[in-house]
């Protein structure tokens, strides 16, 4: 099949994700950009958690986190990840898999500066994924970060973006009697052309 055979009349799967995201932004009450991000630890045990997708580029998806967190360490080790988006209001789902690299330059700096001061200081204060004795300890660390970095903190060197370049994107749309519409776009590598196939629901 060729891209022209898309059951969603798409010629570019990333553009279709963006279109569906824009539609969801008008209907979802909270966080239409929430994705369930899946990684794998060194023993092969999977992990999944919700993060916010912050940018959809022409050929990639970007989210931000602490590089020393469990997901950050697992992404760095594997160089791959997957995520799923489900919009209940639209009765649609998107699944994405691909290779991941860091975004720790000007783009990450700009996003960090766009966050509220509390969130920026929180990035400095949190040893993400590590044990925490109590909330008072966390709050004290935020105060310490404020005293140390002031009201315009720079982006921590251990905090930044990840750019996922997809090699597989699957679209699902709810249908009557569970006869859903489902198609998968795939390519061998991130520079290769896309191919699309309709799937049984």
């Amino acid at each position: 099949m060729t891209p022209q055979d898309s059951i969603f009349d798409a010629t570019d799967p990333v553009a279709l994700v963006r279109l569906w995201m824009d539609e969801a932004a008008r209907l979802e009450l909270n966080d239409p950009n929430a994705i369930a991000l899946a990684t794998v630890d060194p023993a092969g045990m999977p992990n999944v958690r919700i993060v916010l997708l912050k940018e959809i580029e022409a050929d990639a998806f970007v989210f931000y986190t602490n590089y020393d967190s469990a997901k950050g360490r697992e992404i760095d080790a594997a160089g791959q990840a997957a995520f799923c988006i489900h919009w209940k209001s639209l009765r649609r789902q998107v699944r994405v898999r691909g290779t991941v690299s860091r975004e720790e330059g000007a783009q990450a700096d700009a996003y960090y500066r766009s966050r509220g001061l509390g969130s920026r200081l929180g990035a400095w204060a949190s040893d993400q994924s590590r044990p925490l004795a109590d909330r008072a300890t966390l709050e004290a660390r935020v105060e310490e970060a404020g005293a140390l970095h002031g009201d315009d903190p720079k982006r921590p060197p251990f905090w930044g973006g990840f750019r996922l370049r997809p090699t597989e994107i699957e679209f699902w749309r709810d249908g009557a009697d569970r006869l859903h519409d489902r198609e998968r776009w795939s390519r061998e590598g991130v520079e290769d052309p896309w191919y699309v196939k309709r799937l049984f629901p």
Side-chain angles (χ1 to χ4, degrees):
M1 297 178 73
T2 66
Q4 287 69 36
D5 294 311
S6 167
I7 62 177
F8 302 112
D9 297 321
T11 57
D12 178 347
V14 177
L16 182 57
V17 176
R18 184 183 295 109
L19 176 64
W20 282 16
M21 181 74 75
D22 289 344
E23 292 179 20
R26 297 191 293 270
L27 296 173
E28 292 285 329
L29 293 178
N30 295 297
D31 297 329
N33 60 329
I35 63 176
L37 176 70
T39 57
V40 177
D41 73 14
M45 179 67 75
N47 271 321
V48 65
R49 77 290 282 162
I50 302 298
V51 302
L52 297 180
L53 180 64
K54 288 300 182 177
E55 296 158 46
I56 301 178
E57 300 176 338
D59 198 31
F61 303 92
V62 182
F63 56 92
Y64 294 85
T65 192
N66 186 315
Y67 292 137
D68 293 331
S69 65
K71 60 182 171 295
R73 296 193 306 271
E74 290 168 5
I75 290 171
D76 279 339
Q80 302 175 95
F83 69 80
C84 179
I85 316 171
H86 177 248
W87 297 292
K88 188 172 183 179
S89 60
L90 293 177
R91 304 173 76 87
R92 294 175 183 170
Q93 175 180 279
V94 175
R95 298 171 59 213
V96 178
R97 300 198 298 170
T99 60
V100 188
S101 59
R102 287 190 181 193
E103 167 49 62
E104 47 190 343
Q107 187 172 332
D109 292 338
Y111 172 67
Y112 180 79
R113 285 194 303 272
S114 76
R115 292 160 58 96
L117 177 59
S119 295
R120 283 180 282 162
L121 294 175
W124 278 103
S126 177
D127 288 332
Q128 196 172 108
S129 302
R130 269 97 175 162
L132 173 65
D134 51 42
R135 185 170 183 83
T137 300
L138 177 61
E139 292 173 349
R141 291 193 59 158
V142 171
E143 288 188 15
E144 292 169 4
L148 182 62
H149 300 287
D151 59 4
D152 189 23
K154 293 183 179 180
R155 180 176 59 86
F158 53 81
W159 191 99
F162 280 113
R163 176 176 286 104
L164 189 155
R165 297 191 68 191
T167 53
E168 186 175 299
I169 303 179
E170 183 181 306
F171 298 89
W172 175 96
R173 181 173 62 191
D174 183 57
D177 301 319
R178 297 191 180 275
L179 300 180
H180 312 304
D181 290 319
R182 185 179 172 196
E183 74 178 20
R184 181 174 62 221
W185 294 69
S186 58
R187 57 186 179 178
E188 289 295 320
V190 296
E191 304 297 336
D192 294 321
W194 287 104
Y195 294 91
V196 60
K197 291 184 179 180
R198 186 166 189 158
L199 304 177
F200 277 99

